[in-house]
Amino acid sequence: MDAQSRGRADEIDPADQWVLNPRTGNYELRLDHSGPQGPSPAVTPPRRPSRSRSEAASPAQPAGRTSRAAGTTSESAGAPARTPGGGSLSKAPGTGSPAPVVPGPRRGEAPPGRRGGRPRKGGSGPRRKRALVVTGGTLAFLLVGGSLGAYLYYNHLNGNLKVTDVGDAGTGGFKKDQPINILVIGTDKRSGSGNEGYGDAGSPGHADTTILFHVSKDRTNATALSIPRDLITNIPACPTKQPDGTTKTIPGRKGDRFNTSLGQEGRDPGCTMRTVKELTGITVDHFMMVDFNAVKVLSTAVGGVPVCLEKAVDDEDSKLKLGPGEHRLQGEDALAFVRTRHAFGNESDLDRIKTQQQFLSSMLREMKSKETLTSPKKFFSLAEAATKSLTVDSGIGSIEKLTNLAGELKDMNLKNVTFATLPVRDNPAEKVKATVVVDHAQADPLLEMIRGDVSLTEVEEKEQAAKDAADAEAKARQDALLQGPRAQAKDVRVDVLNGGGPAGAASATIGWLQNTKGVSRSSNLGNAPAKLDATQLEYAPNQADQARALADMMGLPASALKMGTADAAPRTPMKLTLGADFKGAGVSMTAPQKAPENIQRVEADKAICAK
C-alpha cells in the first residue's frame, strides 16, 4: 500500500520501509533506482518536482519504475519523489527532515534488480542465510549505517524516546566488564494517548510493576527480580530535577507502600531507583519506564504473545474473558491479561506478578524468535513501538546507547534468564491483610546471590566451563592475598568508615573490634564520601599481615582485600569501608551459591499455563 492509498505520507508504517536486495540477501533502504544497481546503492534526497514532463505521467504509475521494454525511467511530477517500491519521502516526526518510506515489492512484482514477475521462494541457501543479517538482540535497533535513510530513521527513533535526568540516582552508565542493573518500571499512569478509559485520569501514577533486571558480569545469565507494589518500606529523600532546571528534594517517608516511590508528591523514577538501592543494597545503573499502552503496542508489534490457561477466565474488572487452552494475545487483550487480579491463584497482587512474569517470558521468546528477527515488518514495528513507549534516564537516552546496551544482552540464552519475586509475608501490623513486608529469612540469601553475581539457573556447560575457569583464576589470585603470617590483634591499626552498611555500623564495628577482639588501635571515621556495594579493606604491602588478621576476625572474603603498590609509613592505619553487603562484624559476606527452595520463580525459556 503506498502513501496515497493511506491518505497521509507520515502515517506509513516504518516497518514497510525496507526491501530485500536479492544480490546481498540484506534488507536495505532504496531511495534511487535510476542508475546501475550495486550491492549497496546510495540513498539520495528527494528530487524537486518538475512540471515540464509530469502532465503526461500517469499518477498510478510509481515514479522510478524501470520500463522493461525500453529500459528507461519515468517519474510522476507534482508528487513526492517516488522510490522503487512505490513509496515516497515524508518528513520524520520531530526532525523537519524528509524520512525514507520504502515499502517492499508489490505482489507479483520483481524485487529490485531482478527480472521476472515473482520473487524467488525462500530456502536454506546462502541468500536465505545472508538475510539473517537483520537478526540481533531483543529490540536491538540495527540500521543500515552510512545511508541518508538510516540517518533519518535513526533521528526519528531518537525523537520517539522520552528522557528523564535522575541526577546521581544511578551510576550514569553501565560498564562492559561489570554486572548491569536496570530497573524496569511499569507505571499505572492513566493519562496520555492509548491509556484512556482506565480511570484516575490525570493521576501522576505509581510504581505499579517494578522489576530489577540484573545482568551478570560475564553476560551468560540474568535475574529479573519483581518487587511487590504493596511492600511496606522506607522511601528515601529524593532530589528531583524541575522543569526550570532547579533541583527540589522531596522528603523521605518511613513505612510507606513501595509504589509511592514514583509519581506521588512529584517523585520521579530516580526516587524509585533510590528506594530499590535502600531496600536491596543493589546500585541501579539505569531505568526504563513504560505505561499501560506499552503492553498493547509491543504485544501487537510481535504479532501477539502466546499464553496458556488451565481454566476459563471471566474477569469483569480487567475485561479479560478467555477459555481454557492456548491463546495469542495482543492489544487490549494483552493488557487485560497482565492487569487481572481476580483470575488466577488467590487473586492477590503476588499472583498477578507471577502472571506478568509468565507473559513477559513469552514476549521475550517471541522477540527473540526467528519469525520476529527475520521479519523486517515485525522488527521495525518493534523499534517504533519500543521507542515510543519508553522513558529512560539520560545515561541510555539515545538509540546509540540503547543499541550498545542491547549488544551486551543479545547473545544471552533465555534458559539462563530467571524471573523471581522478592520474598515477602503478610504485614503483621495489620488485622485486614492489605500490605506485605520483606521475609528476610528468604530474601536476604536471594539478594546476596544477586549482589554476588550468582546465577539462579545453571548456565550451559560450555559457558559454565569458561566462567568456572575465569572465576578459578581470579579466585586463586585473590586467595593468595590471604596466604601468609597474621599480625597480633594489638598490632592491627585500622580506620573504619560506613560506606553503605546499616546505620551506626562503623561505631558498632569499632566497639566489637576493641571489646571483643582486642584491636585497640581502631578508629571510627564516620560516613565514607561515597557508597560502596561491597565492603573493602585497603592496605599497603607492608600491612599484609594486619589485613589477614582483620579478615579472619571479621569474616571478610578475599575479594574485599585491596592491596596498594607502595609501603605505608609506620603507624599508618589501614582503611576499612563497610559496604551495602555488610551485615555485622563477624557475619560472613560470601554469597550463597543456591537460592532458597521456596522462592517464586519463572524461567524465561519455559511456557507455563496460568492457573
Side-chain angles (χ1 to χ4, degrees):
M1 184 179 291
D2 63 19
Q4 289 179 338
S5 63
R6 296 187 186 217
R8 286 176 50 195
D10 59 1
E11 290 179 351
I12 293 177
D13 186 345
D16 291 333
Q17 298 176 9
W18 301 79
V19 294
L20 179 66
N21 182 342
R23 297 189 179 188
T24 65
N26 298 344
Y27 287 97
E28 300 172 349
L29 286 166
R30 291 179 179 265
L31 303 184
D32 184 63
H33 197 240
S34 58
Q37 236 174 304
S40 299
V43 180
T44 60
R47 301 182 181 180
R48 184 181 298 278
S50 170
R51 306 186 66 84
S52 60
R53 292 186 294 173
S54 64
E55 310 263 335
S58 167
Q61 174 69 26
R65 181 175 296 176
T66 303
S67 166
R68 292 191 180 124
T72 59
T73 309
S74 62
E75 294 186 5
S76 313
R82 288 285 184 170
T83 63
S88 65
L89 291 168
S90 60
K91 288 188 177 181
T95 66
S97 303
V101 180
V102 187
R106 293 184 177 84
R107 186 182 298 277
E109 178 180 314
R114 197 182 137 203
R115 298 185 181 275
R118 294 188 179 275
R120 185 191 304 271
K121 291 185 178 180
S124 59
R127 290 183 179 175
R128 178 68 173 173
K129 292 178 180 177
R130 287 197 298 268
L132 296 179
V133 73
V134 298
T135 62
T138 301
L139 298 183
F141 312 119
L142 306 181
L143 302 175
V144 180
S147 71
L148 173 64
Y151 172 76
L152 294 175
Y153 192 59
Y154 176 95
N155 282 347
H156 166 65
L157 292 179
N158 266 330
N160 287 345
L161 287 171
K162 295 177 284 293
V163 181
T164 296
D165 184 355
V166 294
D168 62 355
T171 62
F174 68 89
K175 297 178 177 61
K176 290 185 176 296
D177 59 345
Q178 295 296 325
I180 302 173
N181 295 304
I182 304 168
L183 194 65
V184 181
I185 307 171
T187 175
D188 60 0
K189 184 175 180 179
R190 263 72 167 180
S191 59
S193 176
N195 291 317
E196 305 87 348
Y198 299 108
D200 296 338
S203 166
H206 304 76
D208 190 58
T209 299
T210 305
I211 299 174
L212 178 61
F213 194 72
H214 171 85
V215 181
S216 68
K217 177 179 178 179
D218 62 10
R219 307 299 187 254
T220 63
N221 63 87
T223 299
L225 182 69
S226 293
I227 302 175
R229 66 178 188 176
D230 294 328
L231 173 69
I232 297 299
T233 188
N234 295 330
I235 313 296
C238 178
T240 60
K241 296 281 184 172
Q242 303 299 302
D244 62 0
T246 61
T247 298
K248 175 184 176 182
T249 298
I250 301 171
R253 296 176 66 93
K254 290 188 178 296
D256 206 349
R257 270 183 166 91
F258 175 83
N259 68 350
T260 63
S261 65
L262 176 71
Q264 308 307 298
E265 301 180 47
R267 295 187 179 92
D268 66 4
C271 298
T272 309
M273 295 169 73
R274 297 175 194 274
T275 303
V276 169
K277 170 65 184 295
E278 182 163 311
L279 176 65
T280 67
I282 298 170
T283 298
V284 181
D285 296 300
H286 302 288
F287 85 88
M288 295 180 178
M289 184 170 69
V290 296
D291 58 18
F292 281 142
N293 202 44
V295 176
K296 296 193 290 185
V297 296
L298 287 172
S299 61
T300 301
V302 296
V305 176
V307 300
C308 174
L309 306 181
E310 285 196 359
K311 62 180 182 178
V313 170
D314 189 356
D315 183 357
E316 292 183 0
D317 291 341
S318 69
K319 306 298 187 293
L320 181 66
K321 187 172 183 178
L322 298 170
E326 296 184 356
H327 303 270
R328 183 172 283 270
L329 304 182
Q330 60 182 322
E332 293 289 349
D333 288 338
L335 179 58
F337 184 82
V338 298
R339 290 185 64 223
T340 183
R341 290 188 63 171
H342 305 293
F344 308 112
N346 61 6
E347 302 186 10
S348 69
D349 186 53
L350 296 179
D351 283 295
R352 186 178 72 150
I353 287 175
K354 187 186 302 183
T355 302
Q356 291 171 345
Q357 292 173 345
Q358 292 167 359
F359 182 87
L360 291 173
S361 296
S362 183
M363 181 180 283
L364 283 175
R365 292 194 295 272
E366 286 298 299
M367 289 177 174
K368 295 268 286 185
S369 70
K370 174 182 173 183
E371 288 74 17
T372 296
L373 294 175
T374 59
S375 165
K377 180 174 178 61
K378 284 187 179 182
F379 193 80
F380 290 98
S381 288
L382 268 174
E384 281 291 307
T387 53
K388 286 180 178 178
S389 302
L390 278 177
T391 299
V392 298
D393 62 280
S394 51
I396 50 174
S398 71
I399 298 303
E400 179 183 5
K401 293 174 181 178
L402 283 174
T403 301
N404 290 340
L405 177 59
E408 295 291 305
L409 313 179
K410 67 183 178 65
D411 294 327
M412 188 179 298
N413 193 322
L414 289 181
K415 67 180 288 188
N416 300 327
V417 178
T418 304
F419 285 86
T421 302
L422 182 69
V424 295
R425 57 189 177 89
D426 287 337
N427 188 348
E430 294 177 335
K431 290 184 178 179
V432 178
K433 304 304 181 184
T435 62
V436 294
V437 296
V438 174
D439 181 355
H440 286 284
Q442 294 282 315
D444 289 352
L446 176 60
L447 293 175
E448 287 175 17
M449 289 184 70
I450 296 174
R451 288 193 296 264
D453 201 28
V454 178
S455 174
L456 267 63
T457 57
E458 293 295 332
V459 296
E460 292 182 358
E461 270 188 40
K462 183 178 178 181
E463 296 169 336
Q464 186 65 52
K467 181 177 185 298
D468 288 347
D471 288 349
E473 183 180 352
K475 187 175 186 301
R477 289 197 304 269
Q478 202 67 35
D479 286 347
L481 298 176
L482 292 175
Q483 304 302 315
R486 270 71 171 162
Q488 295 185 25
K490 64 182 180 63
D491 296 325
V492 173
R493 299 175 183 267
V494 62
D495 289 338
V496 181
L497 300 91
N498 191 353
S507 176
T509 299
I510 290 297
W512 181 82
L513 286 173
Q514 293 179 349
N515 299 325
T516 304
K517 296 297 181 181
V519 183
S520 57
R521 293 168 175 171
S522 53
S523 302
N524 178 9
L525 296 191
N527 291 329
K531 301 289 187 181
L532 296 179
D533 288 337
T535 297
Q536 181 173 287
L537 176 61
E538 299 173 79
Y539 63 98
N542 61 339
Q543 296 172 322
D545 57 342
Q546 297 181 51
R548 296 184 193 107
L550 188 63
D552 289 346
M553 296 176 202
M554 297 194 60
L556 299 178
S559 58
L561 275 59
K562 308 295 179 185
M563 186 172 67
T565 57
D567 284 347
R571 300 182 181 179
T572 299
M574 302 180 292
K575 185 169 75 171
L576 175 66
T577 305
L578 307 176
D581 61 343
F582 183 76
K583 297 297 183 292
V587 179
S588 175
M589 288 179 289
T590 304
Q593 298 302 301
K594 187 176 180 181
E597 291 292 337
N598 298 323
I599 66 167
Q600 185 274 314
R601 57 196 291 171
V602 173
E603 294 178 5
D605 66 320
K606 294 181 174 62
I608 303 173
C609 289
K611 57 184 179 179

